[in-house]
Amino acid sequence: MSNRKIVLLVVLVLFTLVGKAQTASAKVDYQPGYRWTLSGNYVQDKNFYLLTLMEKIPAVQEALAADPVLKSLLSERVKNIKEATGYDLPNQSMESMRDKTSHWAELFLLSNDEIEKVGDELKKIYQSNAALQALVNEQIRPSGAYEHFAKLDDAALLAQAWKISAKGINGIIRTYALGEKPLYPKIDSVSYDVNSQYYRMLVNMLASNVGDDTKDMSLFFQPSLSFSLWLLKMNHRDEAARFEPMATGENAKAWEQVQKTNFDEYPYTSILLPGYGPEKKGVDLSPAGMLRCKLAAERYFEKKAPFIIASGGYVHPDQTPFCEAVEMKKELMEQYGVPESAIIIEPHARHTTTNYRNAARLMIHYGIPIHKKALCTTTKGQSYYITNMGFEKRCVEAFGYMPYVPGKRLSRNDTEFTPRLESLTIDPMDPLDP
């Protein structure tokens, strides 16, 4: 072979390898304006968006329902549920109905082996199925819902999204059926005594009803998903769904104002105002919350930023009827004259970590620039906790990443921060504030 032919051959091989590398590395990024597919249940969509997509996209649903491995997993679970709940025994004994909740919960918990098996099968199906390939590149990646894992290849991203969904389902079952302590037991625990006769009967009835509903289920995860969502509902734990959809509801005026705002006219894009829940029942806004509102209103009228993001959910005391963000919005408007169009409520955060993460999410979704700095204005104790007392470590432990880039301290009450795109990542291990 001549030297010229050898050179041409080498060049051809190099071009082929480069082309394959580019194809392999080409990933669809988060797309602003992405429209979420909705199931009709915001608790499900915000915790388990992958599973909503699997149910609602016909080609994906069909591919998964037909897969022999996944089909077998569903059949085995349905068989176990029906046998345990006395599906064919209308005269099921009252003693059986009073069995420990663990007897019923175990029917729906996903074992580590099952989780791994499904993950491996999803990777396998992905390799040759156009519907699953489109699921990743036209839905999962553009949504940002699993942004923390965006550097994974498509098949691995799909499997990882499944694994965190499965762990989230298990976490709900362990907390609200078995009574295990969640990460924040003071505010997130089960609402009943799981060992009481009443709650044992409730969980038994739930297991039986899900068993009845399995006749309409075709996907491997649906019995466990249904059981977990019903546990949240039984415990009045719909916090993640409250006020949704916000952009056309409580935040409609602010969302419209964002579209008309020139952010270059302000030093900061927004002022994050974290809530402080009262410890006494019947109290709508704590004194500390009032002081934080005063500080945020001052910064707004100093024209530091065009928007205040009032962040805090239904947190303290447990199952309070008052939402921190809503009560702070009222305070800002009624006591300080801040216009409604300048206030964005973030009514879901239950922790300081998610004050930042959830505010960053709203900024991204609403089109507030995240390349510019934002301001966090709060009382001195919280402000110094955020910058000096291991808060970054707490964020990484909670999320696996930092939801923002810390900036300068401007005063005892004010610090800068820059939101990060990873804040879009949903966290089903914290189902009340995912």
Side-chain angles (χ1 to χ4, degrees), residues 294-295 298-299 376-387 409-415:
K294 175 181 177 292
L295 293 168
E298 288 172 352
R299 300 300 177 268
C376 178
T377 296
T378 185
T379 43
K380 182 175 70 172
Q382 186 185 45
S383 187
Y384 279 95
Y385 162 65
I386 289 167
T387 58
R409 171 168 293 284
L410 305 179
S411 72
R412 67 187 179 199
N413 303 116
D414 306 288
T415 54

Short mmCIF file of all heavy atoms in Angstrom, two decimals, residues 294-295 298-299 376-387 409-415:
data_model
loop_
_atom_site.label_atom_id
_atom_site.label_comp_id
_atom_site.label_asym_id
_atom_site.label_seq_id
_atom_site.Cartn_x
_atom_site.Cartn_y
_atom_site.Cartn_z
N LYS A 294 -39.48 43.25 56.73
CA LYS A 294 -39.05 44.65 56.80
C LYS A 294 -37.74 44.86 56.04
O LYS A 294 -37.60 45.80 55.25
CB LYS A 294 -38.88 45.07 58.25
CG LYS A 294 -38.30 46.47 58.45
CD LYS A 294 -38.15 46.77 59.93
CE LYS A 294 -37.51 48.15 60.13
NZ LYS A 294 -36.09 48.19 59.70
N LEU A 295 -36.78 43.98 56.27
CA LEU A 295 -35.48 44.09 55.61
C LEU A 295 -35.62 43.95 54.09
O LEU A 295 -35.02 44.72 53.32
CB LEU A 295 -34.53 43.03 56.15
CG LEU A 295 -34.09 43.16 57.60
CD1 LEU A 295 -33.40 41.88 58.07
CD2 LEU A 295 -33.16 44.36 57.78
N GLU A 298 -37.16 47.01 52.50
CA GLU A 298 -36.18 48.11 52.42
C GLU A 298 -35.28 47.93 51.20
O GLU A 298 -35.02 48.89 50.46
CB GLU A 298 -35.35 48.16 53.70
CG GLU A 298 -36.13 48.66 54.91
CD GLU A 298 -35.35 48.53 56.21
OE1 GLU A 298 -34.25 47.90 56.21
OE2 GLU A 298 -35.83 49.03 57.23
N ARG A 299 -34.81 46.71 50.99
CA ARG A 299 -33.91 46.48 49.84
C ARG A 299 -34.67 46.69 48.52
O ARG A 299 -34.10 47.21 47.55
CB ARG A 299 -33.35 45.06 49.89
CG ARG A 299 -32.55 44.74 51.13
CD ARG A 299 -31.33 45.63 51.32
NE ARG A 299 -30.68 45.29 52.57
CZ ARG A 299 -30.92 45.89 53.74
NH1 ARG A 299 -31.82 46.87 53.79
NH2 ARG A 299 -30.30 45.53 54.83
N CYS A 376 -29.65 37.51 49.03
CA CYS A 376 -30.41 36.88 50.11
C CYS A 376 -30.42 37.84 51.29
O CYS A 376 -29.35 38.20 51.81
CB CYS A 376 -29.82 35.54 50.53
SG CYS A 376 -30.72 34.77 51.91
N THR A 377 -31.60 38.28 51.69
CA THR A 377 -31.75 39.22 52.80
C THR A 377 -32.52 38.54 53.92
O THR A 377 -33.66 38.09 53.72
CB THR A 377 -32.49 40.49 52.34
OG1 THR A 377 -31.69 41.16 51.36
CG2 THR A 377 -32.74 41.42 53.51
N THR A 378 -31.89 38.46 55.09
CA THR A 378 -32.54 37.77 56.22
C THR A 378 -31.96 38.31 57.52
O THR A 378 -31.07 39.18 57.52
CB THR A 378 -32.34 36.25 56.10
OG1 THR A 378 -33.06 35.60 57.14
CG2 THR A 378 -30.87 35.85 56.18
N THR A 379 -32.48 37.82 58.62
CA THR A 379 -31.99 38.26 59.91
C THR A 379 -30.58 37.72 60.16
O THR A 379 -30.16 36.73 59.59
CB THR A 379 -32.95 37.80 61.03
OG1 THR A 379 -33.34 36.45 60.79
CG2 THR A 379 -34.19 38.68 61.05
N LYS A 380 -29.87 38.41 61.08
CA LYS A 380 -28.44 38.16 61.26
C LYS A 380 -28.10 36.71 61.56
O LYS A 380 -27.17 36.15 60.96
CB LYS A 380 -27.92 39.06 62.39
CG LYS A 380 -26.42 38.91 62.64
CD LYS A 380 -25.93 39.90 63.69
CE LYS A 380 -26.44 39.56 65.07
NZ LYS A 380 -25.79 40.41 66.12
N GLY A 381 -28.85 36.07 62.45
CA GLY A 381 -28.51 34.70 62.84
C GLY A 381 -28.52 33.76 61.66
O GLY A 381 -27.56 32.98 61.47
N GLN A 382 -29.58 33.80 60.85
CA GLN A 382 -29.64 32.92 59.68
C GLN A 382 -28.59 33.30 58.65
O GLN A 382 -27.99 32.43 58.01
CB GLN A 382 -31.03 32.94 59.05
CG GLN A 382 -31.16 31.91 57.93
CD GLN A 382 -32.48 31.99 57.19
OE1 GLN A 382 -32.94 33.07 56.85
NE2 GLN A 382 -33.10 30.84 56.95
N SER A 383 -28.37 34.60 58.48
CA SER A 383 -27.42 35.05 57.48
C SER A 383 -26.01 34.52 57.75
O SER A 383 -25.33 34.04 56.84
CB SER A 383 -27.40 36.59 57.43
OG SER A 383 -26.60 37.04 56.37
N TYR A 384 -25.59 34.57 59.00
CA TYR A 384 -24.25 34.08 59.33
C TYR A 384 -24.21 32.55 59.36
O TYR A 384 -23.16 31.95 59.09
CB TYR A 384 -23.76 34.68 60.65
CG TYR A 384 -23.22 36.07 60.46
CD1 TYR A 384 -24.02 37.18 60.66
CD2 TYR A 384 -21.91 36.28 60.02
CE1 TYR A 384 -23.54 38.47 60.45
CE2 TYR A 384 -21.41 37.55 59.81
CZ TYR A 384 -22.24 38.65 60.03
OH TYR A 384 -21.75 39.92 59.80
N TYR A 385 -25.34 31.92 59.68
CA TYR A 385 -25.40 30.46 59.56
C TYR A 385 -25.15 30.04 58.11
O TYR A 385 -24.40 29.09 57.85
CB TYR A 385 -26.76 29.96 60.03
CG TYR A 385 -27.10 28.56 59.56
CD1 TYR A 385 -26.35 27.45 59.97
CD2 TYR A 385 -28.16 28.34 58.67
CE1 TYR A 385 -26.66 26.18 59.52
CE2 TYR A 385 -28.46 27.07 58.22
CZ TYR A 385 -27.71 25.99 58.65
OH TYR A 385 -28.00 24.74 58.20
N ILE A 386 -25.74 30.76 57.18
CA ILE A 386 -25.60 30.43 55.77
C ILE A 386 -24.16 30.55 55.29
O ILE A 386 -23.69 29.73 54.49
CB ILE A 386 -26.53 31.32 54.92
CG1 ILE A 386 -28.00 30.93 55.15
CG2 ILE A 386 -26.20 31.24 53.44
CD1 ILE A 386 -29.00 31.93 54.63
N THR A 387 -23.45 31.55 55.79
CA THR A 387 -22.08 31.78 55.27
C THR A 387 -20.97 31.20 56.14
O THR A 387 -19.89 30.91 55.63
CB THR A 387 -21.82 33.30 55.13
OG1 THR A 387 -21.99 33.94 56.41
CG2 THR A 387 -22.76 33.92 54.13
N ARG A 409 -20.40 38.82 51.22
CA ARG A 409 -21.27 39.36 52.28
C ARG A 409 -21.26 40.87 52.15
O ARG A 409 -20.21 41.50 52.09
CB ARG A 409 -20.76 38.94 53.66
CG ARG A 409 -21.49 39.66 54.80
CD ARG A 409 -21.20 39.05 56.16
NE ARG A 409 -21.74 37.70 56.25
CZ ARG A 409 -23.03 37.42 56.44
NH1 ARG A 409 -23.92 38.39 56.52
NH2 ARG A 409 -23.44 36.18 56.52
N LEU A 410 -22.45 41.46 52.12
CA LEU A 410 -22.57 42.91 51.96
C LEU A 410 -22.86 43.61 53.28
O LEU A 410 -22.52 44.79 53.46
CB LEU A 410 -23.69 43.23 50.96
CG LEU A 410 -23.57 42.58 49.58
CD1 LEU A 410 -24.75 42.96 48.71
CD2 LEU A 410 -22.26 42.99 48.90
N SER A 411 -23.53 42.90 54.18
CA SER A 411 -23.85 43.44 55.50
C SER A 411 -24.20 42.27 56.39
O SER A 411 -24.16 41.11 55.96
CB SER A 411 -25.03 44.41 55.41
OG SER A 411 -26.24 43.69 55.18
N ARG A 412 -24.58 42.56 57.62
CA ARG A 412 -24.94 41.44 58.51
C ARG A 412 -26.22 40.75 58.06
O ARG A 412 -26.50 39.62 58.49
CB ARG A 412 -25.11 41.95 59.94
CG ARG A 412 -26.30 42.87 60.15
CD ARG A 412 -26.29 43.45 61.54
NE ARG A 412 -27.41 44.37 61.74
CZ ARG A 412 -27.45 45.27 62.70
NH1 ARG A 412 -26.42 45.38 63.53
NH2 ARG A 412 -28.49 46.05 62.83
N ASN A 413 -26.99 41.39 57.18
CA ASN A 413 -28.26 40.83 56.71
C ASN A 413 -28.25 40.40 55.25
O ASN A 413 -29.20 39.74 54.81
CB ASN A 413 -29.39 41.84 56.90
CG ASN A 413 -29.54 42.31 58.32
OD1 ASN A 413 -29.36 43.48 58.62
ND2 ASN A 413 -29.86 41.40 59.23
N ASP A 414 -27.25 40.77 54.49
CA ASP A 414 -27.28 40.61 53.04
C ASP A 414 -26.06 39.87 52.50
O ASP A 414 -24.92 40.24 52.81
CB ASP A 414 -27.35 41.97 52.35
CG ASP A 414 -28.51 42.81 52.85
OD1 ASP A 414 -29.66 42.48 52.51
OD2 ASP A 414 -28.26 43.79 53.59
N THR A 415 -26.33 38.83 51.70
CA THR A 415 -25.26 38.12 51.01
C THR A 415 -25.66 37.88 49.56
O THR A 415 -26.84 37.78 49.24
CB THR A 415 -24.97 36.76 51.68
OG1 THR A 415 -26.19 36.02 51.77
CG2 THR A 415 -24.36 36.93 53.05
#
